[in-house]
Amino acid sequence: MLGCGGGGEELANPRIDLPDSSVDSQPLTIIETIPRSDVINADPDRTTLAIAHLSRNNPTSDFSTNCSNIKSIKISRRITDPGPENFSEITQHIIDCDLEENTEHTITLTDQGPDGENLEGDHKFSTGVSTENEIIVKESIALSRDQVRNLFASYVSGALLSDLEAPAAVIDLILEPFLGIADQYWKTLLDPRPLYDVISERVSYQSQDPFGNPITDLTGLVSYPDIQGVSEFSKRSTMILLSHATGSSPGDLNPEDAWFIIANQLSSRGYLVLAPDNYGRGKDNNNEETYLLAAQTAFNGLDLVLSINNNKSYDPIYEGKKITLIGYSQGGHSATNLLSLSDIKLHEHKVVESFLGGAPFNLYKTFKGVLEFLNGSCSNREYCEFVDSRTSVPFATNRILPALVNYSETGLDINDLVIENTLSDDFVNGFLASDPLYEKLKLLLELNSLTNVKNPESFFPKDTLINLYHSPFDRLVPIANSQDFMSNFSSEFEINFDQSECNANAFEVIFETIDKAGIVHTLCALNVLDAVISQLR
């Protein structure tokens, strides 16, 4: 199904003010570290650090470390519901620096609240040796212009209806408005007018796993125009980075995968297109997916860009420093974090425009809304009023919770939360009643939310242009997510919030006729992608 951190500044000598010696220091409560403390072989060339800890209101937070050429950003997030022991914020440091091989590294953190209370802590991990930055082509296919032209039409008549996962009776009910949406909004997708044949490659590259260990087998899609024999071709100054949605693995080169189709349509217009598979996806990876884990997914995707930039094979197609970023739903959440961390990871390259749609920006409230619906205590109605448990609960049980439990130290087992493919009553009720057992899980959901940022001016690179899309009739990811996103960032950045793409009568008819959550969400994605491709043409 189509479904679903920031401007850095150079710190030559990072310094922390020593706390007032007359005030006793208390230990910091650390929520997440990348790499983890048990990592002993982090790749010095491809490790990006992320450390998050609890803070009290408006603290002075800083760090020091024994690496050089540091670029970093600090992100402060409000805790939506009352935090533990009067903590009201989560402070996250994202750090990119030059690490030495075979060395133990220490990051010392300090946090001083307005009342003068000092909190201190440190984090240690070790590096191994550097690995060669290499792109390996695992598989390659060539598509003619005619094949590219027919990809989406074949998808609509086949895989799309399966992706909607609706019974035949439901399809019959929505068929007329469905065809109306296709006729009115998918003109570019149905007739992409390709200029070039296309080559699509499944590639592997080096990055770090969710714990911070080095990995060499992350996969993704690289798609580009076949210009062999073309008499004239103008190299593009912009590459396109696609952040895939739920259930997609573009690197599998599957012609029934919507994001594979989008990549090929764009590359047939002359672009170099990259589409990383999330960790845990792709035909070579059987691990749990890093579903909606902000920093981990961003690090991986940006490492693919770096690997491509260091590879000369694609120079005949792309010569420039500009990136256009596209993501919808899960992919919109991932793309937002890619954009946020692009300055400190990519250095010379810049995301010049981004297209984000239907994303669970407020992951905490979206998740909590499902739980409130289940126990009948809906308070934030915009997040829980239209929940469809048949669709929303599987997202929680099969994707969100396994990722958090597997890759974060929650102190929980998935069997504590999920019983026979549904959420445990004890978990639902305990979470909503602020049972301390689920406190760490709640904080991790807050950490991976993007609407509670207290210092929005530092979250994205300067001069960021964001195109935002969301349907008011979306039952799966409520539009309140994008409204909260606008409230958080629109005063600092240029954001074009376009609701017209998914606000037609046909969407309202489907919304009022069918209560199944994912249908409008998926159809809106195709509207958005059609509009984006039309602009890029």
Side-chain angles (χ1 to χ4, degrees), residues 325-346:
L325 182 59
I326 303 170
Y328 185 86
S329 192
Q330 174 198 4
H333 183 277
S334 301
T336 305
N337 291 285
L338 286 163
L339 171 61
S340 178
L341 302 184
S342 59
D343 261 8
I344 67 169
K345 281 283 287 183
L346 298 183

Side-chain angles (χ1 to χ4, degrees), residues 9 81 164 210 469 503:
E9 86 180 86
D81 291 328
L164 295 178
Y469 306 85
N503 195 21

